[in-house]
């Protein structure tokens, strides 16, 4: 028996449709050919979803003060403590911190519970770290948080400008759609604006390595060029735009040299932008995560408004959303300053509508605390009861060590998660087991305003429950039976849709009122639809008619001035730390970290640094570096690369205290926020870098997740167990004893080879003839064929101690193609031996890049460097 259901990927905001098939207890996934976002494609993360569904590590029962208990006990405790705290200290002494990975129905109930019933606006979301600057920029310019266009615009554009977006790794299926459009229309040009050269830059005709934080200066300069070159659409501006003159005057006083870009590149950019009618400007975290984030957004919007290039096919500004329901959370009012359906908390009319609709006993009239301030308030005791749902702030918030201390010191902390061992879950007083992807059911909205269903195809494990259901239960236990009397998510969606009809009455853009009488069957069968969905509006682009959501109906251009990042490098902290994502991990790795093939692309936290900076610091490839800021410390593997600008380093955001000893990069990031949006500056923190001179370095594979507590460690899932990169500041007296402490070697057949004088030690342990652990120690970073050793784990080959493959088993090297498990060495060898000259030929020879295609940018880069080497020889 097999059944296939249509659902939506739980990772990025592209919102790909997934076909999940359950057969003989096994799940397999593939892209849904009928979904408008992906038309059958999936990226490496989406393709590996089935590998993340095992129940290891899942939280299966509620836990109160470290003891498993019943839901009744746990939720009574939550309701009682929240009620007592409100009674004693007022409603603003409690807070709920939620996530763009909640489904719309979860989010709606959370928002209603806090803003309508608990009586506080202290509910904010990790979207504050993600989309807040775009929301603020859209609201300032358009009067509402509206994304005007759709994905087809990206394909139809003649010029695509990507600002602070690594689309190739972060929105891979959208990137593939763009790459296919460019291949079909070679005249389409792509410009990428990013301080780093990324996988996305490889597709670009022009890469502008801007100085961090200088985007306002660049787009102000573009606005001047638009004006000087006669490209202002005066009729459009006169009819539909306010503030043109002031915006231009402010822009004219700017100085584009702060971008640090060569004049010729700036001119090439402005020429292309001014000269191309169909231009789409995509922006993401390089824009949003900045103390000038909202201004960066408006600087981009200014240029589109001045030229009237908005609301028409193939043109417009386009903010790509990060999380699967980042957009849905914005719609539903997840941010501390919003109400549901794009209504504003601080607007008395909007408030009255929502209060009446909810029959809310109390409703705050001012915005609540935004994420960074919320955790400051937790730290200084203003917030005494905190509920964290579907996010991992101990890892993802800036000044993360301070956040950790704040949570540790808080009187009462509830965490709802799928896993009980995340860095945040470990600090909870009450842990509530949540259902996850494959078990949950509800709706999400992607970057192009398309609402899709997530559908369950697996039963809830153990006693895990849906987040909306738990929130509603707490609402009922606090005395609001009628308001939280939901039995299905469909009921929640109907209520929300009805409210959106009232919002539309206030002239809001968000309107899904046609769904207010959706039957349960229609909800089950719901196919992806772009909002608005009302009696008279259905999908389509916004602003085609030049009408905006401001009181005057005109859009606003804003006068903007360049501001540098809040903290400039100093003699003590001379490097700028940029942070972001890698291709195959999702955020704090609680799910993507479970799939072995996703850990083999990049298996350890690292810092990417320019070769000359590395040389100045005495750093060699694969050394360990200690990176410090005034707020914290990390220890990271050195990756030397000429893709960085000098004086700047990059580190991924993914590593946690569960995956590495010192990999939490947000421990270093200063909690500086944008004054308009409250979004933190995650991409420009001054840091110091020094070489960490360890006494020994190690690499291990082990079949169980042993206790690794060496000075430095980083673990990753591999085929039959785990790998660990290790280092220590002092060498143990006896390495074999140390190995027995690190791994469970009871009853194992242990082989050792050592050369104490040279600091070399190798150990292989077999049990029942199978390799269960191997440890390699050296006085310098261990050079050995990791993929070879990983392949040996669980096998019965006695050659593990050699540390490298025999002549008949070449070492494939780091995994590039996660779908077919093809390593870099295999690819280089095939290119050389078979004279491959295109990504397609690599695919034909090795299958690499032929399934999800996420590695195609890297295949192109490997090909280019192989060809470059050949040309040089
Ligand atoms: N593989 C993967 N994909 C993901 C995610 C994931 O965890 N893993 N997360 C999802 C989420 S929630 C989000 S928000 C998106 C984020 O998607 P992106 O925003 O594309 O990803 P980031 O790597 O955070 O940052 C993008 C780029 O901004 C650049 N940048 C830094 N400073 C500046 C600057 O001052 N100006 C400009 N112009 N650029 C700058 C960085 O060098 C980086 O390459 O990805 C989504 N997709
Ligand atoms: N330095 C730096 N920091 C950053 C960023 C950066 O670029 N640089 N990016 C920021 C951005 S854009 C984002 S979006 C954040 C992301 O940061 P987080 O939101 O902290 O990251 P996740 O790992 O996605 O956390 C989601 C948690 O919810 C759990 N979970 C999954 N599904 C469910 C569910 O259905 N219900 C419940 N209750 N739990 C569930 C997961 O196990 C996981 O623990 O990080 C931000 N932090
Ligand atoms: S691009 Fe990849 S991660 Fe994003 S929704 Fe599609 S399959 Fe999921
Ligand atoms: Mo995000």
């Amino acid at each position: 028996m097999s059944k296939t259901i249509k659902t939506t990927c739980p990772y990025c905001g592209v919102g790909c449709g997934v076909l999940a098939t359950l057969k003989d207890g096994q799940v397999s996934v593939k892209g849904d050919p009928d979904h408008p976002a992906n038309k059958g494609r999936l990226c490496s993360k989406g393709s590996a979803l089935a590998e993340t569904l095992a129940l290891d590590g899942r939280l299966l029962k509620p836990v109160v003060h470290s003891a498993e208990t019943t839901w009744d006990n746990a939720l009574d405790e939550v309701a009682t403590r929240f009620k007592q705290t409100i009674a004693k200290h007022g409603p603003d002494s409690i807070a709920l911190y939620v996530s763009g990975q909640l489904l719309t129905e979860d989010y709606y109930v959370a928002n209603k519970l806090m803003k309508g019933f608990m009586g506080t606006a202290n509910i904010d979301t990790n979207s504050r770290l993600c989309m807040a600057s775009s929301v603020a920029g859209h609201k300032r310019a358009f009067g509402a948080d509206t994304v005007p266009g759709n994905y087809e615009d990206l394909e139809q554009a003649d010029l695509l400008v990507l600002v602070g977006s690594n689309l190739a790794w972060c929105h891979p299926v959208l990137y593939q759609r763009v790459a296919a459009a460019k291949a079909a229309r070679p005249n389409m040009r792509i410009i990428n604006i990013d301080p780093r050269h990324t996988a996305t830059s490889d597709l670009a005709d022009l890469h502008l390595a801007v100085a961090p934080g200088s985007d306002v200066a660049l787009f102000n300069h573009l606005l001047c060029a638009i004006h000087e070159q006669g490209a202002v659409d005066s009729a459009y501006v006169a009819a539909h735009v306010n503030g043109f003159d002031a915006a231009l005057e402010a822009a004219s006083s700017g100085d584009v040299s702060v971008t640090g870009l060569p004049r010729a590149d700036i001119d090439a950019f402005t020429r292309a932008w001014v000269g191309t009618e169909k231009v789409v400007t995509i922006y993401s975290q390089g824009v949003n995560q900045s103390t000038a984030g909202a201004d960066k957004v408006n600087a981009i919007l200014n240029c589109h408004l001045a030229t009237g290039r908005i609301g028409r096919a193939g043109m417009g500004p386009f903010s790509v959303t990060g999380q699967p329901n980042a957009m849905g959370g914005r719609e539903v009012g997840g941010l501390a300053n919003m109400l549901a359906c794009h209504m504003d908390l601080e607007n008395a009319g909007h408030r009255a509508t929502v209060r009446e609709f909810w029959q809310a006993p109390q409703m705050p009239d001012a915005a609540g605390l935004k994420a960074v301030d919320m955790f400051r308030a937790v730290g200084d005791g203003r917030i005494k009861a905190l509920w964290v749902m579907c996010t991992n702030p101990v890892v993802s918030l800036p000044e993360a060590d301070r956040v950790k201390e704040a949570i540790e010191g808080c009187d009462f902390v509830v965490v709802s998660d799928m896993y009980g061992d995340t860095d945040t879950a470990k600090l909870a007083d009450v842990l509530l087991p949540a259902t996850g992807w494959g078990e949950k059911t509800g709706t999400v909205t992607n970057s192009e305003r398309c609402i899709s269903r997530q559908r369950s195809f697996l039963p809830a494990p153990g006693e895990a429950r849906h987040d909306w259901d738990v929130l509603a239960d707490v609402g009922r236990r606090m005395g609001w039976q009628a308001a939280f009397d939901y039995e299905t998510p469909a009921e929640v969606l109907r209520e929300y849709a009805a409210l959106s009809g009232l919002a539309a009455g206030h002239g809001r853009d968000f309107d899904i009122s046609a769904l207010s009488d959706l039957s349960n069957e229609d909800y089950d069968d719901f196919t992806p639809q772009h909002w608005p969905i009302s009696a008279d509006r259905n999908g389509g682009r916004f602003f085609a008619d030049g009408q905006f959501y401001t009181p005057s109906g005109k859009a606003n251009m804003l006068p903007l001035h360049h501001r540098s990042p809040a903290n400039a490098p100093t003699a003590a902290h001379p490097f700028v730390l940029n942070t972001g994502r890698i291709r195959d991990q999702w955020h704090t790795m609680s799910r993507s970290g479970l799939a072995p093939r996703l850990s083999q692309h990049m298996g350890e936290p690292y810092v990417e640094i320019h070769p000359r900076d590395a040389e100045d610091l005495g750093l060699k490839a694969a050394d360990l570096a200690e990176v410090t800021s005034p707020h914290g410390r990390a220890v990271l593997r050195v990756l030397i690369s000429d893709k960085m600008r000098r004086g700047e380093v990059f580190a991924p955001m993914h590593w946690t205290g569960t995956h590495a000893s010192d990999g939490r990069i947000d421990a270093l990031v200063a909690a500086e926020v944008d004054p308009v949006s409250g979004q933190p500056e995650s991409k420009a923190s001054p840091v110091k870098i020094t070489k960490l001179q360890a006494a020994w370095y190690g690499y291990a594979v082990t079949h169980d997740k042993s206790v690794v507590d060496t000075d430095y460690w980083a673990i990753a899932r591999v085929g039959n167990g785990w790998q660990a990169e290790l280092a220590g500041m002092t060498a143990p007296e006896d390495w074999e004893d140390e190995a027995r402490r690190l791994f469970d070697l009871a009853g194992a057949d242990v082989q050792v080879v050592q050369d104490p004088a040279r600091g070399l030690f190798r150990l292989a342990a077999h049990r029942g003839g199978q390799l269960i652990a191997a440890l390699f120690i050296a006085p310098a970073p261990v050079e050995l064929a990791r993929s070879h050793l990983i392949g040996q784990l669980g096998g019965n080959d006695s050659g593990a101690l050699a540390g490298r493959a025999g002549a008949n088993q070449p070492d494939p090297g780091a995994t590039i193609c996660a779908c077919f498990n093809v390593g870099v060495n295999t690819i280089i060898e095939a290119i050389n031996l078979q004279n491959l000259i295109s990504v397609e030929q690599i695919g034909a020879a090795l299958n690499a890049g032929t399934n999800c295609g996420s590695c195609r940018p890297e295949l192109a880069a490997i090909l280019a460097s192989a060809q470059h080497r050949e040309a040089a020889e």
Side-chain angles (χ1 to χ4, degrees):
M1 262 287 284
S2 91
K3 76 170 177 186
T4 296
I5 59 108
K6 283 177 180 247
T7 183
T8 311
C9 176
Y11 296 127
C12 85
V14 178
C16 297
V18 175
L19 294 178
T21 301
L22 190 62
K23 189 174 178 211
D24 305 329
Q26 294 289 329
V27 178
S28 60
V29 297
K30 54 181 200 201
D32 177 357
D34 299 330
H35 198 289
N38 57 318
K39 304 185 176 118
R41 298 183 186 90
L42 289 181
C43 77
S44 50
K45 291 180 299 303
S47 309
L49 270 168
E51 286 172 39
T52 64
L53 299 175
L55 297 186
D56 328 345
R58 281 295 292 272
L59 184 62
L60 299 174
K61 281 188 165 188
V63 175
V64 175
H65 297 302
S66 311
E68 286 187 350
T69 184
T70 61
W71 273 103
D72 245 349
N73 282 340
L75 295 190
D76 276 345
E77 174 78 3
V78 175
T80 309
R81 291 296 294 263
F82 273 87
K83 224 195 273 178
Q84 284 170 349
T85 310
I86 293 172
K88 201 155 162 208
H89 304 284
D92 289 338
S93 63
I94 64 166
L96 177 56
Y97 183 56
V98 295
S99 162
Q101 291 165 73
L102 287 176
L103 305 183
T104 297
E105 292 77 358
D106 302 323
Y107 236 138
Y108 178 83
V109 179
N111 198 42
K112 179 175 178 182
L113 179 63
M114 290 302 275
K115 288 179 184 146
F117 291 79
M118 301 253 206
T120 174
N122 284 345
I123 164 171
D124 209 37
T125 139
N126 63 0
S127 280
R128 185 68 62 192
L129 320 176
C130 182
M131 305 313 308
S133 296
S134 280
V135 174
H138 292 159
K139 286 176 70 180
R140 291 199 298 187
F142 307 146
D145 176 21
T146 318
V147 173
N150 56 35
Y151 292 162
E152 279 164 13
D153 292 330
L154 276 56
E155 294 166 324
Q156 292 167 3
D158 293 322
L159 172 65
L160 202 61
V161 181
L162 291 140
V163 197
S165 155
N166 186 6
L167 207 72
W169 279 10
C170 297
H171 298 90
V173 167
L174 200 49
Y175 167 88
Q176 285 177 38
R177 285 180 60 167
V178 168
K182 190 173 193 310
R185 285 193 301 121
N187 286 341
M188 175 179 181
R189 271 170 305 167
I190 297 183
I191 298 179
N192 173 219
I193 303 173
D194 191 314
R196 292 191 302 153
H197 186 279
T198 66
T200 305
S201 315
D202 287 332
L203 186 68
D205 300 284
L206 176 65
H207 169 226
L208 302 179
V210 279
S214 65
D215 304 85
V216 169
L218 183 63
F219 280 86
N220 268 349
H221 177 76
L222 174 62
L223 183 62
C224 296
I226 288 169
H227 174 65
E228 279 155 22
Q229 295 171 30
V232 173
D233 184 339
S234 307
Y236 184 88
V237 169
H240 303 299
V241 180
N242 286 321
F244 175 83
D245 292 335
L248 183 64
E249 194 187 320
S252 311
S253 69
D255 177 2
V256 74
S257 69
V258 297
T259 59
L261 295 169
R263 194 65 210 201
D265 285 356
I266 297 175
D267 291 346
F269 166 60
T270 53
R271 215 179 308 118
W273 210 102
V274 171
T276 312
E277 172 82 356
K278 283 192 169 179
V279 50
V280 170
T281 311
I282 297 180
Y283 47 98
S284 188
Q285 300 314 334
V287 166
N288 294 339
Q289 288 173 338
S290 158
T291 44
D295 284 1
K296 288 184 181 188
V297 171
N298 287 105
I300 293 169
L301 300 184
N302 277 352
C303 296
H304 281 276
L305 290 170
T307 50
R309 294 175 186 167
I310 187 166
R312 290 184 281 147
M315 62 184 85
F318 201 103
S319 148
V320 274
T321 54
Q323 300 175 91
N325 202 27
M327 190 73 109
R330 284 149 68 174
E331 292 152 14
V332 90
L335 292 162
N337 48 333
M338 300 291 296
L339 283 172
C341 311
H342 284 181
M343 287 187 278
D344 287 310
L345 186 64
E346 282 154 308
N347 178 314
H350 294 179
R351 243 181 4 250
T353 297
V354 180
R355 189 191 305 115
E356 197 174 314
F357 181 80
W358 280 344
Q359 297 282 297
Q362 47 198 340
M363 206 158 182
D365 53 13
L369 293 171
K370 302 187 174 96
V372 169
D373 288 336
M374 179 185 278
F375 283 86
R376 284 206 175 104
V378 172
D380 64 24
R382 276 175 290 151
I383 286 177
K384 300 180 192 308
L386 170 72
W387 189 349
V388 176
M389 181 175 270
C390 199
T391 173
N392 193 358
V394 170
V395 183
S396 54
L397 272 175
E399 292 179 28
D401 288 345
R402 195 172 50 79
V403 169
K404 182 166 182 242
E405 277 166 35
I407 297 177
E408 278 164 347
C410 185
D411 290 350
F412 185 63
V413 177
V414 185
V415 173
S416 295
D417 205 291
M418 298 162 65
Y419 302 93
D421 67 347
T422 73
D423 291 356
T424 305
K426 282 177 189 151
L427 308 180
D429 296 297
V430 177
L431 257 175
L432 302 175
T435 50
W437 184 79
E439 301 147 11
K440 302 186 71 146
T441 186
T443 52
V444 291
T445 314
N446 74 2
S447 292
E448 59 163 357
R449 286 181 279 105
C450 181
I451 301 179
S452 303
R453 282 290 317 275
Q454 271 198 22
R455 293 186 172 86
S456 61
F457 51 91
L458 294 169
E463 295 178 17
R465 280 171 63 178
H466 308 311
D467 292 309
W468 65 265
D469 175 40
V470 172
L471 287 156
D473 196 339
V474 169
R476 292 192 297 270
R477 281 169 206 260
M478 290 182 74
W480 303 302
Q481 276 81 3
F484 294 98
D485 188 21
Y486 304 111
E487 279 175 11
T488 62
E491 262 173 80
V492 179
L493 185 79
R494 284 192 289 267
E495 178 179 316
Y496 174 44
L499 178 56
S500 79
L502 302 179
H506 280 292
R508 297 287 75 196
D509 57 342
F510 181 76
D511 186 353
I512 55 165
S513 52
L515 304 181
S516 61
D517 54 5
L518 203 67
S519 68
N520 289 351
E521 292 70 37
D522 290 345
Y523 183 81
D524 285 342
D525 296 342
F526 187 82
T527 50
Q529 274 187 62
H530 296 80
W531 64 261
I533 310 171
S534 68
D536 52 1
R537 288 192 299 170
N538 219 321
R541 285 183 193 83
F542 273 92
F543 310 140
D545 56 359
Q547 285 303 302
F548 294 86
Y549 294 96
T550 55
S552 65
K554 289 184 176 186
N556 297 316
M557 284 177 63
L558 265 68
L560 304 166
H561 298 277
H562 162 76
R563 276 179 288 126
S564 301
N567 295 317
T570 59
H573 297 99
F575 287 89
V576 177
L577 170 69
N578 176 6
T579 65
R581 290 153 174 81
I582 63 173
R583 194 190 76 191
D584 285 356
Q585 290 298 345
W586 177 258
H587 296 163
T588 72
M589 309 206 301
S590 67
R591 289 175 291 158
S592 54
L594 301 172
R597 65 168 135 151
L598 296 182
S599 293
Q600 283 171 40
H601 178 233
M602 290 172 156
E604 194 182 12
Y606 66 88
V607 58
E608 197 171 349
I609 185 167
H610 190 276
R612 299 236 296 279
D613 289 333
E615 198 182 323
D616 290 351
L617 294 167
L619 290 171
K620 290 201 277 306
D623 276 350
L624 287 173
E626 181 168 33
V627 187
T628 47
S629 84
H631 307 285
R633 162 180 188 273
V635 178
L636 308 168
R637 192 68 65 178
V638 173
L639 181 73
I640 297 176
S641 122
D642 58 9
K643 299 188 166 166
M644 298 302 300
R645 285 163 39 107
R646 288 208 66 184
E648 292 165 23
V649 295
F650 176 84
M653 62 163 293
H654 306 289
W655 271 269
T656 71
T658 10
H659 295 90
S661 54
D662 309 273
R664 280 163 54 246
I665 208 65
D666 269 299
L668 279 72
V669 175
E672 299 286 353
V673 301
D674 179 300
V676 182
S677 69
Q679 181 154 353
E681 185 145 73
S682 316
K683 299 214 173 330
S685 304
V687 293
K688 175 181 166 184
I689 301 176
T690 49
K691 178 170 171 158
L692 184 91
Q693 190 62 62
W696 59 269
Y697 297 80
Y699 176 78
V701 290
T702 134
H703 72 134
D704 66 356
K705 191 176 170 184
S706 306
V707 192
V708 253
D709 61 353
T710 49
D711 293 326
Y712 170 83
W713 56 268
I715 55 169
R717 204 90 174 76
V718 298
N720 287 317
W722 298 82
Q723 70 162 14
E725 299 282 353
L726 307 166
M729 303 311 285
T730 47
E733 300 248 312
D734 182 323
W735 268 112
E736 194 174 331
D737 284 354
E738 177 69 359
R740 289 184 187 280
R741 191 182 71 82
L742 292 174
F743 314 107
D744 169 21
L745 301 183
D749 171 18
V750 174
Q751 289 166 275
V752 167
V753 177
Q754 55 186 324
D755 181 348
R758 290 169 55 211
L760 296 175
F761 175 87
R762 290 182 175 193
L763 173 145
H766 290 80
R767 202 182 279 143
Q770 291 182 338
L771 184 73
I772 57 158
L775 175 65
F776 287 71
I777 302 293
V782 178
E783 279 183 46
L784 75 112
R786 284 163 170 72
S787 44
H788 168 70
L789 207 59
I790 290 168
Q792 302 264 314
L793 194 61
N796 55 9
D797 188 329
S798 57
L801 279 182
R804 61 186 159 76
N808 57 343
Q809 307 159 285
D811 169 34
T815 305
I816 298 296
C817 170
C819 296
F820 293 108
N821 198 13
V822 188
V824 63
N825 296 341
T826 312
I827 295 164
I828 293 172
E829 189 184 61
I831 292 172
N832 292 337
L833 291 181
Q834 303 177 42
N835 290 321
L836 307 179
I837 55 162
S838 69
V839 171
E840 281 65 34
Q841 289 185 358
I842 299 178
L846 301 170
N847 280 336
T850 57
N851 183 41
C852 80
S854 299
C855 64
R856 291 171 66 91
E858 279 161 293
L859 294 178
I862 295 169
L863 198 62
S865 75
Q867 285 162 347
H868 178 75
R869 256 198 311 277
E870 199 164 277
E873 271 163 10

